[in-house]
Structure formats: structure tokens, C-alpha cells
Amino acid sequence: MLFCMSVQKDARLPPLSTSERTSSGKGTQWQVRPASRLLRNKGADTSGYLSTWPAHITSQVVRQKTPSSGVNEHHGSSDEFGGPISKPRFLEQLECFLRRELTSLDMLSPKLQERKLQAYREVFDYFIENFKTYKPLLSAIKNEYDITLAYLQEQIRELEPLRAQLVLLSEQCEKKILGLREQERTEIRALKQERQHLQQVIESMREQQRALQTQVYHLEKELAAQYLQYREECDARKLLIANISSMSYSPEEEPDVGHDGDKEQSEDPVKVKLALKVCREGLSRAQVELNRLHAEYGDVVPRRDWENLDRMYRENLLKLETLQSDFDQMKAEYDTLLDVHRQVSLQRDSLQNDLEVFREASTPRPHWEQCADMLGGREPCSEIFEGQPSKKRLEILLEELNSMGLEQKEFFSGQGVSNDVPIYLRYEGQLKNLRLKKADVVRIIKDIWREKACEEEKTDDSSDLKKFLHQYLQRQQGKQAGQWAYSLLDGIKRNLKDDFICLFYDILTDKVDESLYHGQTHLLSHLLKVFIQSDSTESGSLTTSEFREALRTAFPLKKDQDLEELVVAAQSELEASGGSFAYQRLYTEDADGKHGEFLGLVKRQAMAERDHYINQLRTQLEGKGEVGLEDLRSAFTTIDPALDSASLDWNLRKAFQTKDLHLHTALLDTEIALQRLSVANVSRAGPMTQPE
């Protein structure tokens, strides 16, 4: 039984000697004896006493009015055999005063707590004033509490601006870091684009240089032919001059003896000699002039050819100056890139040193770099293992070892260009095996789906996957499209265990319809939208009840057992036992682009529901060897009354492989129709009908 010490206004406490002092390991402690024992020790001393008011009695019991019979009013004690006990008068006065002060306070006041504390201080001051014996000790305790409280309040007032400043400074630093990272990414992207542009410019300049060298070679060849022609003409002229000179200085021919004597008498020898002399002088002058012209203009080219050569020289000189200026600019940019590369290398070395320090200080881990040769080099190995735990790295290594166990050819033999060969494989000759990894295959397939979706959105028309794959490889790889086509097909066949790759291969080989891929994509995106809508706090996580309700909203036709399996799979993947579900983590992919167990279960349940739906349709069409358009329409309406007309027409077009249902009147084998529907994205629109 606990004892509470209280005094009347006119009473005094017993002397301090009535208490007992005990010693312990922590110091000296004072214990108060029960009031009954003190009163027995003091006898008739009524100057002060310790009340036996029990502290554990509730306020309801204390406030009960009891008759005054059997109770000592002076001492406030109760009957020895457990009768009702009344409060001391001084305690009732203190409680009444405290209750009146607290009732008068304004509950909406900003300084409510300080005023409540002030009321309790006044009550404690009254208590100290009436507790004469222990007043110094209680006053010292109260003063020490006030000093400590004031000191703590002062500390809070000093630290409050610092906390706000710290939050603001942290936000500013985060913004600066994000800005710097974005700026670095932008600069790196710009530098890469500029490098590609400069490489293209260099290649074009090299082509121009080769073309100019070809022109110079042809010009030199033509100049040599022209020079040879001029030499031949010069030699011919010299021979002609020599012949003319020999003819001029040859002796005169003797006159024919048989000539008529009258003719000789008629020619005057003096005139003939004079004419001969004049001819020889003219011939000499012509010979001198011809020699002079040959000496002065023997090596002169025609003006027309000289102008053409001069024009070509100026053009080549201008091109050379332009190429020189471009080369100087490219050299300056190349030096800048070298400086940037040097800085990045220094940062990489610094980070590498830090990494080595962390590795030495941390727990030893396996040396995964030793597997680089098996995975195609150090860079592919680092890309595959980046961000993966040791267990996942071991699985990837085992898959690579299994794939290496399969025989891989260095070259593929082209299947030819006949019509029975798929369009993306119509190549001839030996094609190099690029040995694509699984991550590369997944990346290419995702890029193909993305490009195909963009093209179909622009043209508003669906295209065949085989033709689009051929166009995609021609556009992306150019002359190496054949190598990429056969290497991609080989990588797909080696990774058919992956659901994503296997689905692409089935669609490519016409085993299933392309609508299956779009249906899975729509299913997962619809589920994510429902999760986001259910997240009212926008915290990225849902409680168990909210997660289960979101699944019920996204899949209203699923059974409770299927929904519970989804909840258990999500808990196992997120390792959340009864806590919150971070639903965005359920959509993360590993290095090979594979989803987790939860989304895999969603896909498997959707496949099972589609198979069950087709089996119901088969049961409805049982006994019919062939089925018509109206028969199949009636079967769909019977098993799924909630199916709308647009979805029903789409199912019928898939079954009969026609675009215009009004023109189709032929019957179709029932199993063929069901087979076509089983490989398409056919799903139930409403709840199942109850059997009659």
C-alpha cells in the first residue's frame, strides 16, 4: 500500500528524525515510515502527522460522500476494516484550485502549455509554502527544474533557425547536384554528337581528297599525252626544214638534150639566174624566221589550255585552304576532347582507388572479373553484373556456361532469296555470327516493339512483324543487316526459356498472334494505373487491404483464391510480411529484362483464364464439325453475354481470318477456328453464366 504525504493548513509535519535512512550502491536514500507507525511513536503529538490517504484509490472513489461516523475528522483517517476514505482538506483545496485554473484557460491559445505549467507551478508553490519542514529542499528542486527548463527552451530557440537553415541548405545542395549531373549528361551527349559529326566531316573530306587525287592523275596523264604530241610536231617541223634546206642547195639539173632548140633559145639565162637568186634569198629569210619562231614559241602552250589549268589550280588552292582550316579546327577540338578524356581518366582512377580501399575494408567478395573472358570481355561483363547480387550473378554465369556448351558457328550460310524463305532471312553467302548476348537480344526486341508501335501510330495501320523486322535491320544496320538478322535469330533460339523472348519468336514464326503481346502490355499497364489511383497519399506504397482492393478493382472477374495467390506472391517478392507494398518495385526488371514473380503470376493466370474461356467455347460448339459466322457469334453470346459488339467482331475476324465479316459466308472447321482464337488475345468481358 502506497502512502501519500499531505498536511492540513494549520498542521505541522513531524520532525525529520522520524524518517529512516537506508544506504545502497547509488548513495543514501530516505524512506518515509507509514503514518500509523509515526503516530504510535509520537503518542499524543498532534502538531503534524502523515496521512494514510491511499494513492491508488481512483478519483471516483475519493469523491464519494461518506458519513462522518467512524472517521476521525482531525486526522482524516478511515475505519480499520476498509470503510470509505475521504480526502484530506488541503488536497481537496489544491485540486479544486487546479481544476478551476485549468477550466479558465483558452484551449485555442497558442501559449496553452505555458499557462497550464504556470497553474501547476502555483499549486506546487502553495504546497511548498505549507510544507514548512521540507520547504528549502523542495524550493531548491523547483528552482533547479526551472533553470533546466529555461536552459532547454533557450537551446530549442537557438537550434530552431539552424534546423530550418540545414533543411534549406540540404535542398539547395541536392538541386545543385542534380543540376550538375544533368549538365554533365547534356555536355557528354553534345560531345558525342559533335564527335560523330566531325567523323562524318573527316570521311567526306577524305572522299573529296581521293576524288581530287583522281582528277590530278587524269590531268597529268592528259598533259603527258599533249606534251608527246607537241614533241612529235616539233620533230616533224625540224625534218621539214632540213628537207627544204637540202632541196635549196642541191646542184642544178642539166637540160634535157632532147628538148626543142627553140625553147632553149627563148629562155634568158640571166633572168633565170636572177630569179633563182631572189628565191634563195626569200628562202633564207623564211628559214631564219622559222628558226626564230621555233626558238621563242617551242615550249609555249595554247592560251585556252593555260586558262583552264589556271582556273583548276585556283579552285584546288581554295579547297586546300578550306580543308586546312577545317583540319586546324578539328585538331583543336580533338585536343579539347583529349583534355576532357584525361580529366575523366583521372576521376576514374580516383574512384578506382576509392573502390580498392572500400574492397580492402569490406568483406571479401568473389572476383567476378575472372569470368570476363567467358562473357565476351571486361566491358560486357561489367554491364551484365552491374547492380546484381551475387546470387543473380551466379545464375547469369551458369546460363552463359550452358549457352557456351551449345555449338556456335562462326558463320551462317544464307538461305537464299526465294519466296519460301522469310523476308528478313533472304541473304546469300557466308554471314558472320555476332554472338549476341541475352541482354543484347532483349534490348533489340524491346527497340523493335517500340519502333513498330511508333510507326503504327503514325500510319494508323498494323504491319507484319517479319516485314517490319527486315525494314528495321536495313535501316539500323545497313549492309550488315544479314549478319544481324541471323545472329538475332540464333540468340533468340538459344534463350527460348525466357518468356519475353519466346513470345517474340512465336509471333515471328506465326505460332501466336501479335495481339497476345499487346494484350499483356495493356494488362500490366492497366494494373499499374489502378495501383497509382489507389495510392491516395502518393507515397508509392499500399497497405495490405488497399493492395488487395486494388487487385480486385483491376481484375473483377478473378476468384478470391487467385487474388490471394497474387497477394502472397507480392509479399514474397517484396519481403513484406503484413506491412506496406511498394508496388512500383514490382515492375522493376533485372539485367536481362525479366519481370519478377508477381507479374509472371499475373501473366500465367491470364493465360489460364484464356484457355478456360476457349474450352468453354469448345464445349458450346461440341458436335459441330464446321462452324459458320452466326454459329460462332451465338456461341460467344451464350458463354459471355457481356461481350460488346466491337470485341465480338474482332474475335470473329481473328477466327475466320477476314477483314470484312459481311462478305464471308463460307464454313470453317471448328478446331481450326478454336486454334486461331487460342493464339489470339481473346478474354472474357463479363462474369461466367450459371448452368441451368
Side-chain angles (χ1 to χ4, degrees), residues 377-410:
R378 186 175 297 274
E379 294 183 358
C381 179
S382 61
E383 292 178 359
I384 294 174
F385 286 165
E386 184 178 2
Q388 299 294 339
S390 299
K391 182 179 179 181
K392 185 63 179 177
R393 293 183 178 183
L394 182 59
E395 293 177 356
I396 295 173
L397 184 59
L398 291 176
E399 291 180 2
E400 292 296 330
L401 291 175
N402 291 332
S403 63
M404 289 176 63
L406 301 175
E407 182 179 359
Q408 294 188 8
K409 301 178 181 179
E410 289 292 333

Side-chain angles (χ1 to χ4, degrees), residues 271-285:
K271 292 181 179 179
V272 174
K273 189 180 290 188
L274 182 60
L276 180 59
K277 184 179 180 180
V278 172
C279 289
R280 287 178 176 176
E281 291 177 357
L283 180 60
S284 300
R285 287 193 300 270

Side-chain angles (χ1 to χ4, degrees), residues 64-109:
Q64 289 180 357
K65 299 295 184 178
T66 58
S68 59
S69 60
V71 179
N72 191 344
E73 295 181 357
H74 181 73
H75 295 285
S77 61
S78 62
D79 186 55
E80 185 178 359
F81 298 99
I85 303 173
S86 63
K87 292 183 180 180
R89 182 178 178 185
F90 183 64
L91 177 60
E92 289 181 352
Q93 290 178 354
L94 291 178
E95 288 181 351
C96 182
F97 174 77
L98 179 62
R99 192 183 304 111
R100 184 171 60 254
E101 290 295 326
L102 295 177
T103 305
S104 63
L105 293 178
D106 185 10
M107 302 304 293
L108 301 178
S109 176

Side-chain angles (χ1 to χ4, degrees), residues 349-470:
D349 296 339
S350 177
L351 294 176
Q352 186 68 26
N353 295 332
D354 296 341
L355 179 61
E356 293 297 334
V357 173
F358 291 151
R359 285 179 177 176
E360 293 177 358
S362 60
T363 305
R365 306 297 297 169
H367 295 285
W368 300 104
E369 294 80 3
Q370 297 177 357
C371 306
D373 296 335
M374 297 182 181
L375 299 178
R378 186 175 297 274
E379 294 183 358
C381 179
S382 61
E383 292 178 359
I384 294 174
F385 286 165
E386 184 178 2
Q388 299 294 339
S390 299
K391 182 179 179 181
K392 185 63 179 177
R393 293 183 178 183
L394 182 59
E395 293 177 356
I396 295 173
L397 184 59
L398 291 176
E399 291 180 2
E400 292 296 330
L401 291 175
N402 291 332
S403 63
M404 289 176 63
L406 301 175
E407 182 179 359
Q408 294 188 8
K409 301 178 181 179
E410 289 292 333
F411 294 90
F412 299 106
S413 298
Q415 300 181 11
V417 293
S418 58
N419 293 331
D420 56 346
V421 178
I423 186 173
Y424 60 93
L425 297 177
R426 292 178 184 174
Y427 296 95
E428 294 179 345
Q430 296 294 320
L431 302 171
K432 184 180 180 181
N433 186 1
L434 301 178
R435 301 180 184 274
L436 298 178
K437 302 298 181 182
K438 183 179 179 181
D440 298 330
V441 174
V442 173
R443 176 181 55 79
I444 294 173
I445 292 175
K446 287 184 178 181
D447 192 47
I448 291 172
W449 284 123
R450 182 167 54 253
E451 292 289 335
K452 190 173 186 296
C454 294
E455 183 176 345
E456 290 178 355
E457 185 177 1
K458 292 179 181 178
T459 59
D460 197 15
D461 189 14
S462 60
S463 59
D464 185 54
L465 182 59
K466 292 186 285 296
K467 294 182 180 179
F468 180 79
L469 176 59
H470 177 67

